[in-house]
Amino acid sequence: MQQERRAFLIVAGRLIALSGAASLAWDAVVAGAPESAPNYRLADHWWGMIVDIEKCIGCGNCVRACKAENDVPREPGCFRTWVERYQIDPDDFEHPTVDSPDGAYDGFPEIAGPTERLKIFFVPKLCNQCAHSPCVQVCPVGATFESPDGAVLVDQSRCLGCRYCVQACPYGCRFIDPRTHTADKCSLCYHRITRGLTTACCETCPTGARQLADLKDPADPVHEFLRTHKVNVLKPQMATGAKLYYNGLDGAVR
């Protein structure tokens, strides 16, 4: 009886965890083609993300979750997402002090010295999921591509490791995986969002500073947020069609 009860709970737990969209998409995910799931239509989605700088506390949860979820190497410079801390002196606002120890994997140390006059805030960084991606334009073999649902992805089986995309990204969001010698970047946890889940970084953020956004879903809270907040994108002069929207973005952020 105990064995039957345990088996039932295991099966029930799987059904609960994979209910709705996730359950129907599971076979396609296992096959390595989540976008082919019967309940996932590429044309119905246009993915982006909101980052509320006013809510970010620099804890590093997002960085740790991303590395664990996506098997990102711990070597220096290998980040799909990282967090920067800005310290701005009102007498020298054009030269902020910016640090990001190990990408904020373990958060940030306390600032030595007085901080009363400083403006201090944290800025999460990741791929901007551009609609007009410079990285896609320079890839000689089409390994980097824009999915019809707005995600910029990398087909590692085709990547040559030429680094053209790394150089072309104006946000510094790409790196070469030292294990595979291929390009890597944030994929918006594509294997998760096509199952009806959110990204690992959004799921683990304790303050809700990050929110996955489906810009084609009229019921998505992103639309109300965009109407009621003054949002900006990084380096708008690059005209990349970035879909990473920041609330509270200081002009000193680069």
Side-chain angles (χ1 to χ4, degrees):
M1 179 65 69
Q2 282 294 104
Q3 189 67 22
E4 291 179 1
R5 183 172 180 272
R6 173 182 289 183
F8 170 78
L9 289 174
I10 292 174
V11 173
R14 288 184 61 193
L15 290 174
I16 292 171
L18 297 176
S19 60
S23 179
L24 290 175
W26 182 247
D27 289 340
V29 172
V30 172
E35 69 280 0
S36 67
N39 65 320
Y40 186 83
R41 297 182 67 249
L42 290 167
D44 288 347
H45 307 277
W46 189 246
W47 297 109
M49 186 175 287
I50 289 175
V51 174
D52 193 341
I53 290 176
E54 296 174 357
K55 291 183 177 181
C56 182
I57 58 175
C59 63
N61 276 12
C62 54
V63 182
R64 294 188 295 273
C66 175
K67 282 187 176 284
E69 177 71 27
N70 298 289
D71 189 29
V72 179
R74 287 284 283 119
E75 279 82 351
C78 297
F79 297 100
R80 287 190 172 196
T81 187
W82 70 99
V83 183
E84 298 173 351
R85 177 171 61 185
Y86 278 72
Q87 303 174 52
I88 301 178
D89 188 325
D91 293 334
D92 191 17
F93 63 89
E94 292 185 352
H95 301 92
T97 299
V98 185
D99 65 328
S100 182
D102 197 20
Y105 184 87
D106 294 312
F108 291 84
E110 290 188 13
I111 299 173
T115 61
E116 292 79 8
R117 299 182 68 256
L118 300 177
K119 179 180 180 181
I120 303 171
F121 55 90
F122 302 96
V123 182
K125 297 283 188 73
L126 64 154
C127 174
N128 285 237
Q129 306 298 334
C130 305
H132 313 295
S133 307
C135 56
V136 172
Q137 298 172 31
V138 300
C139 181
V141 294
T144 291
F145 62 98
E146 297 164 3
S147 177
D149 53 5
V152 178
L153 304 173
V154 178
D155 183 347
Q156 306 230 342
S157 67
R158 301 183 66 178
C159 180
L160 303 174
C162 66
R163 301 174 185 264
Y164 286 178
C165 62
V166 177
Q167 299 173 46
C169 176
Y171 310 105
C173 296
R174 287 174 169 258
F175 65 94
I176 296 295
D177 190 318
R179 302 165 302 185
T180 63
H181 305 290
T182 56
D184 199 4
K185 58 173 282 296
C186 167
S187 63
L188 274 182
C189 285
Y190 198 68
H191 60 290
R192 292 173 59 92
I193 64 177
T194 51
R195 291 165 51 195
L197 305 173
T198 190
T199 64
C201 62
C202 289
E203 185 174 75
T204 57
C205 180
T207 62
R210 295 171 178 241
Q211 296 293 332
L212 178 68
D214 186 350
L215 299 168
K216 272 194 176 181
D217 181 0
D220 194 302
V222 63
H223 301 293
E224 178 66 18
F225 190 91
L226 293 176
R227 281 194 299 267
T228 57
H229 294 75
K230 185 178 180 180
V231 299
N232 300 95
V233 296
L234 290 173
K235 301 183 180 180
Q237 73 277 9
M238 299 300 296
T240 60
K243 300 196 299 299
L244 177 59
Y245 302 102
Y246 286 93
N247 177 54
L249 187 66
D250 191 277
V253 178
R254 44 184 187 262

